[in-house]
Amino acid sequence: MLLSQYKPLAQKAYCAAIVLLLILSEVFSSNIQAALPTFSSLARLTLTGGAVALLGVKIFLLTDYEARWQSILAALVLAYTAFATWYGDDVWFFLAALVGLGAKDIDIKAALRVYLAAAVAGLLVVQLLHFATPLMPYNFYCRNWDFGYGHYNGFGARLAGVFFAWGWLRHDKLCAIDWMGLAALAIFTYKVPGSRGAFGGMAVMLLLFAVQKFFPKLFDNKIWYAFVLAVPVMLVVFSLYAGYIYNPEWPYDHMAILLLSIFLSGRFEIWHNVFWGSPLTLLGGLPTDGDEHHAIDNTFLAVPMNKGILGAILVAAFFLLLLWRLAKKYRSTETICLLALTLYLFMENKPFLLSANPFLLLAPIVFFGGAAAEKKPDKT
């Protein structure tokens, strides 16, 4: 059992792990991998290993499990995500589980402050290295600059993570500077790197925060919570349907779908050719990023391709259960944030990066009925 005197140590270990992972995501997942491949590989290994070690200590030695089933559940989650990591040859699934499970018994506000500071610092360092040194050369892709990340949507994902953390952390104390700063960051994301998916999530969150400020009762009723629960289900169904019926060889058969596809930068063509053209398996394993033939740009479709039917079911169950538990506790602010994230899930497959998704801190609400779920109703 966790003794009270160890809680500060647990908090420090968790925040240190978050910093290591954000440094890894910001700097050593950038174009520096091509300029300094050996150094980058060693740095990635060191940072990942250090973060995993810290999170492991936090979860297994510095976390108070109230019941035996909680520790068993944590072990099962880590076992499955570790297997999925080995099978699919990527670490994001396992790291997401570690971050989420490790968030139990930590001060979310304090962790968010650390997250935000590290994410902003990482962005600034990458931009400095990109524009002032040859360490992060520009890699041409489509029509946009990559800002040192190899892809303009990679840059947009990091900006979205900063936006989400900033808005969530400051929600109850948003002042004029916050509103202007968040709006400027959203406009910059749309105008400069041209990351429309990230901008869409930002715009929805900022708009709903503004409406909530003047009409808070709109977000504190069963209709709102039912709507939030229904949106991800509807987007999954629509993604499957649109990708199935949209035939890029005969696009004019469905004009409405064609026009929406043009608005979404031709993603329906990708959904049709990749998702419906690739056999789904129970465990998945098909890469969904880094290659133009497999970049599906829709998390709802990317997860079953990358993690299989089983992984998709588990991720969907987790997300819907999280929304349901937040709704039961009248956490309107968090449901607004997750609705914005849901739109981003529809537009991109980046939100499972820690740097783009601070809402992994809410995972204990699903697994353990965390402290955030036990707060008094949010009447803001």
Side-chain angles (χ1 to χ4, degrees):
M1 299 295 288
L2 178 66
L3 301 177
S4 59
Q5 61 265 33
Y6 291 141
K7 288 184 178 180
L9 177 61
Q11 179 79 9
K12 291 178 181 179
Y14 184 81
C15 289
I18 292 293
V19 170
L20 291 178
L21 289 176
L22 285 172
I23 293 174
L24 169 67
S25 177
E26 296 297 332
V27 179
F28 295 104
S29 293
S30 66
N31 293 344
I32 200 172
Q33 296 180 82
L36 299 172
T38 302
F39 175 69
S40 295
S41 296
L42 291 174
R44 287 171 62 88
L45 182 62
T46 301
L47 291 171
T48 304
V52 169
L54 285 171
L55 289 170
V57 169
K58 167 64 178 71
I59 291 169
F60 293 108
L61 300 179
L62 298 173
T63 298
D64 187 9
Y65 297 104
E66 292 81 11
R68 177 172 294 182
W69 68 265
Q70 292 183 346
S71 57
I72 294 174
L73 178 61
L76 290 174
V77 170
L78 292 179
Y80 170 73
T81 53
F83 168 78
T85 293
W86 169 80
Y87 182 81
D89 193 27
D90 64 71
V91 299
W92 66 263
F93 213 45
F94 182 59
L95 291 177
L98 281 172
V99 170
L101 291 174
K104 185 178 187 300
D105 297 330
I106 62 102
D107 181 347
I108 290 184
K109 292 289 187 181
L112 263 178
R113 294 188 193 99
V114 171
Y115 177 101
L116 185 57
V120 171
L123 271 169
L124 294 176
V125 168
V126 170
Q127 298 317 298
L128 177 64
L129 292 174
H130 176 57
F131 288 104
T133 76
L135 293 176
M136 295 182 181
Y138 166 65
N139 288 337
F140 178 78
Y141 183 87
C142 292
R143 65 193 183 280
N144 304 72
W145 291 92
D146 64 359
F147 293 88
Y149 289 104
H151 194 294
Y152 59 92
N153 280 331
F155 183 47
R158 273 72 178 192
L159 295 175
V162 169
F163 183 96
F164 287 152
W166 182 2
W168 185 20
L169 178 65
R170 291 283 300 167
H171 174 267
D172 295 335
K173 299 179 181 179
L174 285 174
C175 62
I177 295 177
D178 293 304
W179 287 106
M180 290 187 293
L182 290 169
L185 184 57
I187 294 171
F188 174 84
T189 303
Y190 181 73
K191 289 292 187 179
V192 180
S195 302
R196 289 193 284 180
F199 168 75
M202 294 179 181
V204 167
M205 186 166 158
L206 196 61
L207 175 63
L208 291 178
F209 275 178
V211 175
Q212 186 191 33
K213 183 176 179 64
F214 296 100
F215 305 101
K217 292 185 178 180
L218 289 177
F219 303 90
D220 192 19
N221 57 75
K222 292 182 179 179
I223 296 176
W224 164 253
Y225 294 120
F227 172 74
V228 172
L229 279 164
V231 166
V233 177
M234 292 188 295
L235 288 179
V236 169
V237 173
F238 178 76
S239 299
L240 294 170
Y241 173 75
Y244 181 74
I245 69 168
Y246 180 80
N247 186 344
E249 297 180 0
W250 303 98
Y252 298 104
D253 288 347
H254 302 279
M255 284 302 299
I257 296 295
L258 173 61
L259 294 175
L260 188 57
S261 179
I262 294 172
F263 177 72
L264 297 177
S265 303
R267 284 175 171 83
F268 293 175
E269 180 176 351
I270 299 174
W271 301 353
H272 179 86
N273 289 334
V274 179
F275 185 82
W276 288 105
S278 304
L280 291 181
T281 64
L282 183 65
L283 299 176
L286 184 69
T288 55
D289 202 5
D291 184 287
E292 61 178 318
H293 301 295
H294 294 139
I296 199 166
D297 290 340
N298 182 328
T299 304
F300 298 122
L301 302 181
V303 170
M305 291 172 62
N306 188 249
K307 295 305 173 188
I309 298 172
L310 178 59
I313 292 173
L314 293 176
V315 170
F318 170 83
F319 195 67
L320 292 176
L321 183 58
L322 174 60
L323 287 172
W324 178 68
R325 295 205 62 163
L326 289 169
K328 281 186 63 179
K329 298 297 178 180
Y330 300 98
R331 302 303 301 167
S332 58
T333 295
E334 282 76 11
T335 57
I336 289 174
C337 293
L338 289 178
L339 182 64
L341 178 66
T342 301
L343 178 61
Y344 194 24
L345 293 170
F346 176 73
M347 293 287 288
E348 297 291 346
N349 63 5
K350 305 292 185 183
F352 278 97
L353 295 171
L354 172 65
S355 55
N357 188 0
F359 305 118
L360 288 171
L361 296 176
L362 292 171
I365 295 176
V366 172
F367 292 118
F368 311 112
E374 303 304 326
K375 292 180 180 179
K376 294 180 180 179
D378 182 0
K379 299 295 185 181
T380 56

